[in-house]
């Protein structure tokens, strides 16, 4: 039998504390592909959709691929954008026998805290109660009962930095095909605890996340479970169902699955205070001393990651404190990625390649925290349309084309600075090389990222230092967040004894 399968993606992680709502324009900036635009963009890439296309060929499915939409993490998705995305997506679901889709799991829309739960329940309504629906997720998903009930299986990535979307989608495809042929009847249950955060923020190298992922994979290998997914949650979403979760998918009766999920979450609760890495290694001043001291004769770059302006967590990407310090320290053979500032890009275009001029950079969204606008005398070295083809292995997907929108590389003293029109954290070397920056031969490379940069940049680094640049995700600002919608009591906001 030839099965018709819905595939596609709607991906967004909402930082509900961000003051910039996420609109369709933000999706267009990152990736918004409809229908026939999708195969040439995703076939042959190491993405979830790349796997879906290959699986369709192997299993003889006919794919319906109405939508592939993702946007850089940011504020709550507007009602208009959410409804339009759902309309596109669900129109392609009509007449399908099953679904293999990629969602994030921490999307929040206006009037809808549990956006993925809503998408899955609407999809379930179209496909009917018996159609298998498999969704891959980010491991920072805030998974809900509604998601578990409406999906047949939820398969979260198992790496952070996330580099296994392709493998997880293939796992989902195998499971989906067995379900379509009536060999299994997958059902999914969920367990949670009153935790706002935990599982070491999702770090998969060592610690409780590693332990639970290994235990889950052992259960899959011994066929005691079809899928075990461990999610760390995303604590910058001020929603009722925030926090870590374990979902277990089994064939048929779910009693034992629930017991496993509860046992796993007991462990997550017991280890909730475990932290494997310091949040900050050095102050900006110390980072500058280390950079200057190691500059001469460096054969590999010192990587400075400003965790406070990480757009991957919903920060604005236009903080200037670290760049200002690098200019003041007169760093040589250095690179900085990036200042998100479409107006500055236009100013650079007006000055023209090869010319020098004065530009105001960044500091627009949270000037009281990140350092405010920075006036520089810059040489315009390159202007591009922002397109680059990913080397991998990051979540952007090796082989996939992405874009920052119109972009500049400007030289300020000895520092090559990327200025971009669409916001994205630095996770792929091509984001620099496409602008003419060679990170391999820099003495110092400054990035704005918390952990995802490590997949591509740690292998080329002589050392990595995490710096708090004072932006909205800096330690001081995060400690001042006021939660209003999370369920209470919840750790660590409240004292709880279980
Ligand atoms: Zn994530």
């Amino acid at each position: 039998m030839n099965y018709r399968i819905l595939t596609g993606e709607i991906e967004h992680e909402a930082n509900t504390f961000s003051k910039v709502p996420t609109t369709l324009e933000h999706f267009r900036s990152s990736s918004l592909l409809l229908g026939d635009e999708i195969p040439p963009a995703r076939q042959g890439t190491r993405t979830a959709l790349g796997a879906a296309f290959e699986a369709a060929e192997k299993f003889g499915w006919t794919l319906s691929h109405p939508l592939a939409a993702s946007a850089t993490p940011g504020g709550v998705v507007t009602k208009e954008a959410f409804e339009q995305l759902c309309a596109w997506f669900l129109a392609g679901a009509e007449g399908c026998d099953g679904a293999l889709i990629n969602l994030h799991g921490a999307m929040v829309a206006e009037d809808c805290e549990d956006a993925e739960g809503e998408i899955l329940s609407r999809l379930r309504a179209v496909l009917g109660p018996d159609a298998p629906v498999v969704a891959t997720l980010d491991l920072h998903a805030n998974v809900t009962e509604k998601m578990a009930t409406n999906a047949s299986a939820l398969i979260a990535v198992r790496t952070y930095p996330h580099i296994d979307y392709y493998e997880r989608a293939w796992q989902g495809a195998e499971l989906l095909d067995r379900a379509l042929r009536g060999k299994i009847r997958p059902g999914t249950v969920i367990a949670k605890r009153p935790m706002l955060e935990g599982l070491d923020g999702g770090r998969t190298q060592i610690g409780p996340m590693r332990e639970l992922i290994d235990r889950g994979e052992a259960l899959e290998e011994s066929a005691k479970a079809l899928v075990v997914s461990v999610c760390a949650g995303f604590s910058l979403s001020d929603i009722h169902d925030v926090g870590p979760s374990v979902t277990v998918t089994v064939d048929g009766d779910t009693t034992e699955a629930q017991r496993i999920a509860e046992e796993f979450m007991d462990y997550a609760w017991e280890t909730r205070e475990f932290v494997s890495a310091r949040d900050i290694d050095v102050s900006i001043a110390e980072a500058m001393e280390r950079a200057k001291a190691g500059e001469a004769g460096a054969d590999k770059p010192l990587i400075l990651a400003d965790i406070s302006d990480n757009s991957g967590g919903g920060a604005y990407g236009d903080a200037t404190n670290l760049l200002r310090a690098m200019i003041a320290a007169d760093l040589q053979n250095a690179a900085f990625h990036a200042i998100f500032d479409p107006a500055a890009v236009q100013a650079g275009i007006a000055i023209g390649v090869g010319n020098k001029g004065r530009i105001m950079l960044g500091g627009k969204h949270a000037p009281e925290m990140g350092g405010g606008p920075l006036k520089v005398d810059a040489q315009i070295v390159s202007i591009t349309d922002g397109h680059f083809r990913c080397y991998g292995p990051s979540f952007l997907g090796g082989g996939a084309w992405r874009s920052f929108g119109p972009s500049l590389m400007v030289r300020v003293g000895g520092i090559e600075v990327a200025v971009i029109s669409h916001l994205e954290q630095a996770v792929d070397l091509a984001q620099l090389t496409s602008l003419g920056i060679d990170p391999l031969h820099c003495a110092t490379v400054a990035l704005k990222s918390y952990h995802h940069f490590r997949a591509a940049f740690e292998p080329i680094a002589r050392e990595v230092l995490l710096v708090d640049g004072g932006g909205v995700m800096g330690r001081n600002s995060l400690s001042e967040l006021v939660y209003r919608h999370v369920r209470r009591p919840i750790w660590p906001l409240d004292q709880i004894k279980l």
Side-chain angles (χ1 to χ4, degrees):
M1 174 160 176
N2 185 276
Y3 295 106
R4 184 170 174 80
I5 301 300
L6 172 73
T7 194
E9 69 189 3
I10 302 180
E11 262 203 308
H12 186 255
E13 180 182 72
N15 176 338
T16 61
F17 297 99
S18 168
K19 53 192 175 190
V20 181
T22 300
T23 63
L24 269 188
E25 229 16 76
H26 290 97
F27 282 93
R28 281 198 187 94
S29 294
S30 293
S31 177
L32 180 67
L33 303 168
L34 297 172
D36 292 343
E37 296 169 342
I38 297 172
R42 292 289 178 269
Q43 265 173 344
T45 64
R46 289 189 66 82
T47 58
L49 278 176
F53 282 110
E54 289 173 20
E57 197 146 308
K58 172 177 172 180
F59 296 121
W61 304 335
T62 301
L63 285 185
S64 169
H65 43 76
L67 176 68
S70 63
T72 297
V76 167
V77 176
T78 63
K79 189 177 172 64
E80 183 197 11
F82 179 65
E83 291 301 333
Q84 180 62 69
L85 293 173
C86 285
W88 277 323
F89 201 52
L90 294 171
E94 299 287 345
C96 285
D97 303 297
L100 175 63
I101 60 176
N102 183 39
L103 305 172
H104 183 288
M107 176 161 149
V108 178
E110 262 179 299
D111 303 332
C112 182
E113 281 194 358
D114 178 10
E116 285 87 353
E118 184 62 22
I119 292 168
L120 286 164
S121 96
R122 292 186 195 184
L123 180 57
R124 177 58 70 200
V126 175
L127 298 183
D130 298 324
V133 172
V134 179
T136 48
L137 299 174
D138 191 288
L139 71 67
H140 295 106
N142 289 319
V143 186
T144 66
E145 189 79 46
K146 192 172 178 181
M147 289 167 67
T149 309
N150 285 289
S152 312
L154 296 170
I155 309 182
V157 294
R158 296 171 183 179
T159 51
Y160 178 32
H162 312 328
I163 55 172
D164 62 331
Y165 280 101
Y166 174 84
E167 287 80 0
R168 297 286 77 78
W170 256 112
Q171 183 183 359
E174 305 272 1
L175 188 148
L176 176 62
D177 200 65
R178 288 168 68 199
L180 287 165
R181 295 173 200 288
K183 293 179 180 159
I184 50 171
R185 198 178 161 76
T188 297
V189 293
I190 181 171
K192 297 187 87 156
R193 293 291 178 270
M195 300 162 71
L196 177 64
E197 56 194 20
L199 290 170
D200 195 20
R203 289 189 188 85
T204 52
Q205 287 70 27
I206 56 167
M209 195 79 188
R210 178 77 267 142
E211 167 74 19
L212 289 184
I213 288 171
D214 288 346
R215 279 161 62 178
E217 289 189 336
L219 290 170
E220 290 175 6
E221 273 160 35
S222 63
K224 292 198 171 98
L226 294 169
V227 185
V228 179
S229 285
V230 186
C231 287
F234 181 64
S235 61
L236 294 175
S237 277
D238 182 14
I239 57 168
H240 184 272
D241 289 322
V242 69
S245 67
V246 171
T247 53
V248 179
T249 304
V250 289
D251 179 17
D253 183 67
T254 56
T255 314
E256 176 63 7
Q258 191 69 51
R259 193 196 62 73
I260 294 167
E262 300 296 341
E263 186 186 303
F264 274 44
M265 279 310 295
D266 283 342
Y267 183 74
W269 172 257
E270 284 159 22
T271 57
R272 65 194 179 279
E273 300 201 33
F274 179 90
V275 176
S276 67
R278 284 168 296 170
D279 282 335
I280 303 156
D281 290 315
V282 291
S283 65
I284 288 184
E286 196 182 337
M288 291 306 98
E289 275 175 33
R290 299 269 283 272
K292 203 68 194 164
E295 198 172 78
D299 60 346
K300 287 179 170 183
L302 167 69
I303 303 286
L304 302 176
D306 181 358
I307 61 166
S308 76
D309 197 29
N310 168 30
S311 66
Y316 304 116
D318 69 347
T320 53
N321 279 332
L322 180 57
L323 178 57
R324 183 179 283 108
M326 291 168 69
I327 295 169
D330 193 27
L331 293 191
Q332 298 298 312
N333 192 21
F336 183 92
H337 188 286
I339 297 288
F340 163 63
D341 188 340
V345 171
Q346 292 307 317
I349 290 171
I351 293 168
V353 165
N355 299 327
K356 286 186 177 166
R358 184 161 286 188
I359 305 181
M360 295 295 280
L361 291 177
K364 293 188 171 74
H365 288 88
E368 69 287 2
M369 283 183 271
L374 174 63
K375 192 185 293 177
V376 295
D377 290 312
Q379 169 138 17
I380 313 300
V381 181
S382 68
I383 299 171
T384 79
D385 67 356
H387 281 79
F388 63 98
R389 190 169 196 168
C390 300
Y391 294 132
S394 86
F395 61 86
L396 292 179
W401 282 92
R402 304 281 178 176
S403 174
F404 291 133
S407 301
L408 307 176
M409 190 265 271
V410 304
R411 192 169 288 130
V412 182
I415 308 164
E416 295 180 331
V417 182
V419 190
I420 56 179
S421 298
H422 300 164
L423 186 54
E424 182 59 81
Q425 64 174 313
V427 295
D428 194 293
L429 298 180
Q431 287 170 278
L432 278 71
T433 58
S434 61
L435 297 174
I437 302 171
D438 178 0
L440 274 67
H441 293 97
C442 286
T444 307
V445 175
L447 308 168
K448 295 176 171 182
S449 179
Y450 186 65
H451 192 66
H452 277 299
F453 72 95
R454 288 184 185 273
F457 289 90
E458 202 159 39
I460 68 158
R462 72 173 188 275
E463 190 181 4
V464 171
L465 293 175
L466 302 184
V467 186
D468 185 344
V472 295
M473 291 188 68
R475 292 303 111 187
N476 290 337
S477 345
L478 287 182
S479 62
E480 285 169 12
L481 295 180
V482 179
Y483 285 87
R484 294 195 171 82
H485 305 291
V486 298
R487 62 197 183 281
R488 305 300 286 260
I490 196 165
W491 179 84
L493 305 181
D494 305 303
Q495 294 286 338
I496 300 178
K497 271 209 155 48
L498 286 186

